[in-house]
Structures are given as C-alpha cells and as structure tokens.
Amino acid sequence: MNVAVMGYGTVGSGVVEIINTKHSYIKERTSEEDLEVKYILDLRDFPGDPNEGKFTKDFNDILNDDSVKIVAEAMGGVNPAFDFTAKCLAAGKHVVTSNKELVSTRGSELLAIAKEHNVNYMFEASVGGGIPLIRPLIFCLAGNEVQSINGILNGTTNFILTKMIYENLTFEEALKIAQDNGYAEKDPTADVEGIDACRKISILSSLASNSWIDPEKVHTEGITHITLEDVAYAGNCECVIKLISTMEKLDDGRYYIVVSPAIVSKESQLAAIDGVFNGALVSGDNVGDVVFYGQGAGKLATASAVVGDIVDCANHDANRRKIGWNEENKDLVADYREVPNRYYIRLKVEDPDLAQNEIRSSFGDIYLLARSGAFNTELAFLTSEFTENEVREKIDGLTSAKLKSFIRVARC
Ligand code: HSE
C-alpha cells in the first residue's frame, strides 16, 4: 500500500524514517500490507537525502495517483493543509495528521468529507505527541462518561516552568534555554501564550463531549506573567505551578474548559511531570483516574503516533474507524467566570495589618503564604472557593492593596 507524506520537517521526516526502518515489523501488523512511501511533498530541496527520488513539489502527483491510499499530512498550519487534506479525502484517500491547529479549527469539516467518502481522517499525533491518548480515550474508555481531563499538554512551557521551579531561573532565562535547545520557536507565542495547549484540549474535549469545541470558546492564558515570587509561594504550600489544560463536566451537563497556569499540589499525579514531557489525567465515571505520560513532541515520538494511524488506516481500509465528533453545541461551554474555584492571589500593600484586615473581611478564610526574602509590603494567600466573577469583584474592591498576581488552583 503506497503512502505519501506531505511536509518533510521534523514530524514528516520522522514518519518516513520509521516506515523505512520498520518495514517488516509494520508488515506483520498490517494484514500483510507492505507500506511504501511513494511521494514526499515539500517545496524545499533536500540534496543527498536517501529518499531523493521520492520528492515532489506538486501536490497533484499525490492526488492523481490512485495507488496512494494513505496520506500523512505533517505540513502544519491551516492553509494549504486544509485544501490538500480535503482533496485527498474526497479522492478516497485516508489522511492522518499531527496538525493540531487544523484538526481543532476545521477538523469537523474534514471529518464530514471523510465520512462521505468512507475513508479515515485520524489525528492521534495532534495531542500529546507520541502518547497514545485519543484512541484510549474514545475506544478503551468508551464505557465511561469522561468527567474530567487535566493535562500538561505543552512541552515547551513545562520545560520553562520546570527550570523556574528547580533552577530558580526567570521566565526569560528559561525561555532562552528552551529556544537554544530547539524546544521553543524563535517566535514562542503559540507555546507560551497557551495557544498550542488550547488547540489540544479543544480536540480532547470535542472527543469527550462528542461535540466540536471551538478553541475560540476556551479561555486561555499563558505563562509569561509567572514570576519566581509566585513559584516560591507555591512551593511554600507544597505546590508547583504548571500550565494546566482542564476540561470538566459540570453538574448541569455543560463543560468548564480552561487553559491557564495553575497551582498544582505536589500530591497530584501531574506535579511530577517535568521537562518537555506531557501528561494527562483522565477521569471516567467507571474507571476512575487514568494517567497518560510520555513525550509530547519530538521527531520520532510524534512520528510514532502518525505511523500508528497509518497502520490503523491500512487495517481499516474498507471499514472506517469512528473517530471524531458531532456538530458544535453552542451552549456546551460554560462561562468559566461562573464556575467556583480556589485562587492564589499576590498583592502589593502599603500597610500590612490594614490590608490583612480588609482582605479577611472580604475573602473570609484565607491561607496565608510565605517565602524567604519577601518584603512585608507583599501579601500572598490562597482563597476558599468563589466564582471568578466574585473573586475579581473582591479584588477590585480592595482599597489597601494592588493585585500583582492571580493564579487558579488546579482542579486535579
Ligand atoms: N510546541 C509543542 C510543545 C510541540 O512544546 O509541546 C508539540 O505540539
């Protein structure tokens, strides 16, 4: 069975490498289908590459070749990836992808085209890189209502926060190391502002709720405002700060879906997920908690998930797999500001005694935090549960203190 790979960057070249090197191993797992990479689409030249005869710059070579049954899209971005994917699906070719931006924003349209033409559109590599997450979620856990997913779904931000926590580096210093190591892009916005994690939790939430969750509806905050003071205060209450992607089914059937830095107890299974690793804690009503952990990015780890999809397509050429979701239910995502939670708050104050009195009379019970080297004009504490609307109103009403930092307490 012939395969085409669109995009010969980190992931695409990994896919070609795995198919070439694991040839007989894969054959045993594909009902004796022989997988061969016939085309590699990329506008760049790769002189001296061992796959030299397979490169094309013309997408039509792939589209018009009926012997190509499976296409791996590893181009990234929405255009032209959407157009190429739609055309391949409509031509009766299965498409697999690692492209979280495309899947989260326009996956619904592509899934509909795939269904119409009885082919597969698979995207295991789009969330958690090499971690098997999508199939376990929708197939192995099919006997459960998924009550919540809490994940560390971005390796770059987890690397930066780990450096801040354990090496006392500032955000800027840790980001520079992440860039020097090739984890963070030159323009790190998609990672550090939580956009990449938002796309991933949107995909998982769409699968868990069986309704498309538009990433635009997911409240998203990044980690750029996290300081070493916050890290130290979190440590004082046996917690760490992580960028947590949360989806939780509320009692009224709607979903709380937020990406933001969060204060995570060291007792949480997510607290020990460090460096570039990813992890997801999925809670089902029958199975309880299940944790997935592994490499969320990287050439061969991500390509491993793409090749898994290719093998699945080869094994389900005639009977397509049911992976996907229904149309958007516009009322499904709850207003995050109306859902009760606990918060970490750091304030600058003029008169510590006066400020503490005002804070206690407004917030009721608080848990005061300490850190070495803090001036007495700084106050940090954890609140009890309030909706975010309530807590913001309380902060705005303070006359003796100015907000310096506000971080949600994780729900896991
Ligand atoms: N930039 C992403 C990360 C790569 O750091 O996790 C995988 O999506």
Side-chain angles (χ1 to χ4, degrees):
M1 194 175 269
N2 285 328
V3 176
V5 176
M6 302 196 296
Y8 198 60
T10 306
V11 178
S13 61
V15 171
V16 175
E17 185 177 326
I18 292 179
I19 293 178
N20 287 346
T21 55
K22 294 265 186 281
H23 206 259
S24 53
Y25 185 84
I26 290 171
K27 188 174 177 182
E28 287 168 13
R29 282 154 183 80
T30 52
S31 323
E32 296 301 306
E33 285 288 353
D34 227 348
L35 290 184
E36 291 282 352
V37 176
K38 185 162 183 188
Y39 298 103
I40 302 168
L41 178 72
D42 205 296
L43 294 178
R44 297 167 293 179
D45 293 314
F46 297 90
D49 189 284
N51 300 289
E52 215 165 352
K54 300 179 176 178
F55 287 100
T56 176
K57 296 183 195 311
D58 185 357
F59 166 67
N60 289 311
D61 287 344
I62 295 170
L63 184 65
N64 297 329
D65 187 335
D66 288 340
S67 79
V68 173
K69 299 284 185 204
I70 305 171
V71 178
E73 182 268 301
M75 304 167 71
V78 173
N79 289 309
F82 175 85
D83 190 39
F84 289 1
T85 301
K87 284 181 173 150
C88 287
L89 293 170
K93 301 178 195 299
H94 308 289
V95 180
V96 305
T97 187
S98 56
N99 187 339
K100 60 228 82 173
E101 183 178 3
L102 180 61
V103 175
S104 64
T105 55
R106 302 197 64 186
S108 301
E109 295 159 74
L110 295 170
L111 286 164
I113 299 170
K115 187 174 180 189
E116 189 188 338
H117 295 275
N118 197 33
V119 288
N120 290 293
Y121 182 51
M122 294 182 178
F123 40 88
E124 183 67 60
S126 66
V127 185
I131 307 172
L133 188 48
I134 288 177
R135 269 183 197 69
L137 182 70
I138 57 175
F139 295 138
C140 310
L141 298 179
N144 292 264
E145 266 192 41
V146 176
Q147 294 166 317
S148 66
I149 301 171
N150 283 281
I152 293 171
L153 301 179
N154 182 268
T156 302
T157 46
N158 204 41
F159 176 87
I160 292 171
L161 290 170
T162 304
K163 289 274 175 205
M164 293 177 75
I165 296 164
Y166 296 106
E167 294 179 33
N168 210 32
L169 300 181
T170 63
F171 169 79
E172 288 76 17
E173 289 165 340
L175 171 61
K176 169 85 174 52
I177 296 173
Q179 285 171 321
D180 290 347
N181 279 285
Y183 301 136
E185 308 274 339
K186 205 165 159 211
D187 175 1
T189 312
D191 290 320
V192 299
E193 296 296 354
I195 299 162
D196 175 76
C198 167
R199 291 171 181 148
K200 292 167 178 170
I201 195 69
S202 300
I203 294 169
L204 294 182
S205 302
S206 301
L207 293 164
S209 68
N210 197 28
S211 164
W212 177 51
I213 301 292
D214 183 347
E216 296 282 326
K217 299 253 178 78
V218 176
H219 177 71
T220 300
E221 293 172 22
I223 63 163
T224 54
H225 61 284
I226 301 298
T227 66
L228 288 176
E229 286 85 353
D230 300 322
V231 168
Y233 280 120
N236 178 252
C237 57
E238 294 303 311
C239 292
V240 286
I241 300 177
K242 295 282 186 189
L243 182 69
I244 298 290
S245 304
T246 296
M247 178 223 83
E248 189 175 312
K249 190 168 189 185
L250 302 172
D251 289 343
D252 63 10
R254 293 181 305 156
Y255 287 83
Y256 171 84
I257 313 176
V258 167
V259 175
S260 78
I263 304 280
V264 180
S265 163
K266 284 186 182 164
E267 287 180 6
S268 164
Q269 303 206 59
L270 297 184
I273 293 173
D274 287 327
V276 287
F277 278 78
N278 280 197
L281 171 58
V282 176
S283 190
D285 57 354
N286 290 316
V287 73
D289 287 350
V290 181
V291 179
F292 301 88
Y293 170 79
Q295 293 186 51
K299 176 177 169 172
L300 293 177
T302 309
S304 134
V306 176
V307 173
D309 276 352
I310 291 172
V311 170
D312 208 12
C313 286
N315 286 332
H316 294 87
D317 187 28
N319 305 306
R320 59 187 294 278
R321 296 269 255 165
K322 191 177 177 330
I323 298 176
W325 48 76
N326 290 331
E327 280 174 19
E328 182 182 19
N329 168 355
K330 289 191 189 302
D331 299 322
L332 210 56
V333 182
D335 182 344
Y336 72 97
R337 290 163 298 197
E338 290 171 0
V339 177
N341 205 40
R342 295 185 68 208
Y343 309 90
Y344 157 91
I345 293 171
R346 178 163 60 88
L347 302 166
K348 180 150 182 6
V349 304
E350 295 289 328
D351 179 332
D353 293 333
L354 180 73
Q356 252 199 64
N357 283 340
E358 191 189 15
I359 290 162
R360 284 187 195 280
S361 84
S362 174
F363 288 84
D365 279 343
I366 56 168
Y367 182 84
L368 268 182
L369 299 170
R371 70 174 177 95
S372 66
F375 296 112
N376 68 351
T377 51
E378 184 178 77
L379 262 179
F381 60 94
L382 299 176
T383 70
S384 44
E385 277 205 346
F386 297 104
T387 68
E388 200 153 323
N389 279 333
E390 288 167 341
V391 89
R392 292 282 183 187
E393 199 175 316
K394 288 177 190 299
I395 293 167
D396 289 346
L398 293 174
T399 57
S400 59
K402 191 164 171 278
L403 182 66
K404 298 303 279 183
S405 188
F406 175 91
I407 305 175
R408 293 170 191 83
V409 173
R411 304 161 78 87
C412 56

